[in-house]
Amino acid sequence: MRTPDWAVTIQQHLDRQGRVMVLTGAGVSAESGIPTFRGPEGYWTVGSQVYHPQEMATMAMFQRRPDDVWQWYLYRAALCHRAKPNPGHHAIAGMDTVLKKRFTLITQNVDGLHLQAGNPVQRTYQIHGNLFQVRCVADCSSDLHPLPPALIGRDKDRPLSPAERDLLICPRCGERLRPHVLWFDEAYNEIYFRFRSSLAAAAATTLLLIVGTSGATNLPQQVAWTVMQNGGTIYDINPEPNPFSRLALRSPGGQFIQAQSGRFLPDLLTVMQDALKSSNKGG
Ligand SMILES: [Zn+2]
């Protein structure tokens, strides 16, 4: 069987000691059964009022109704906690294993499934945060704490008890703890979301794989443009064409690969493993 073009391009990149970046979004997690929460699955009812995710995931709402925002996030955390990494996650973890320092993962997903699959946290930029971490709403320090396990897996509709509320108090200053996620009315920064690190890694990237995202948010778009401007190759791996597809086709050797990540990425990993074995240029 003839080797597909994309596989030849990947072999050439690895032979030339290229740097690989993977950028992932909700599509990768959807294959583990996690809804995007940007659509109707993310609607939340308080009394007779139905709130949209774009209202719930805001500092403005947290300041007004912190318990309701927490209840919504704890419901999401419970769903994510039950989910397991799928073959797409495992293939991306395998890429890190073979490429090591030549690999960076940028993810918009807050479910922690990439870390669970084995991607090391130092090369995984969770640019929208992580549902299983909390931090002080008053920013008295930039410490991240794990979400207390007692709060994972509770009933969706039960209001927070006083004891549960106590678990969500900053141990340092006594203010409330908040979910460690980027809200719609907040901006990216380096300390929590690796903003500058993401763009610096993009500038050094020779091959960008965009997987399961159509690039609705600002930083993923900047990452793709930075790779493009520095002459890198872009593969857009998504079930449907999207704004990244055209960008990919304009990059040198770039492609739009119409596929589900869980089906395609294991093949792509095999090509990488074979290329590194034959050239013995890992690391
Ligand atoms: Zn504090």
Side-chain angles (χ1 to χ4, degrees), residues 136 140 170 173:
C136 176
C140 74
C170 172
C173 76

Side-chain angles (χ1 to χ4, degrees), residues 136-141 170-177:
C136 176
V137 73
D139 268 322
C140 74
S141 87
C170 172
R172 208 156 169 267
C173 76
E175 288 286 336
R176 281 180 181 267
L177 293 169

Side-chain angles (χ1 to χ4, degrees), residues 194-270:
R194 311 300 298 270
F195 179 75
R196 275 197 309 273
S197 298
S198 297
L199 292 178
T205 292
T206 56
L207 176 64
L208 170 65
L209 311 175
I210 298 173
V211 189
T213 177
S214 55
T217 56
N218 166 296
L219 181 53
Q221 285 169 13
Q222 285 194 56
V223 163
W225 274 104
T226 303
V227 172
M228 177 90 179
Q229 280 165 353
N230 286 275
T233 297
I234 301 176
Y235 285 5
D236 177 32
I237 302 160
N238 269 298
E240 300 298 333
N242 63 82
F244 282 136
S245 314
R246 252 174 301 158
L247 193 66
L249 291 170
R250 281 172 52 198
S251 70
Q255 295 207 22
F256 166 54
I257 297 169
Q258 190 155 17
Q260 300 245 330
S261 57
R263 295 215 176 150
F264 181 74
L265 293 184
D267 290 346
L268 195 149
L269 173 62
T270 303

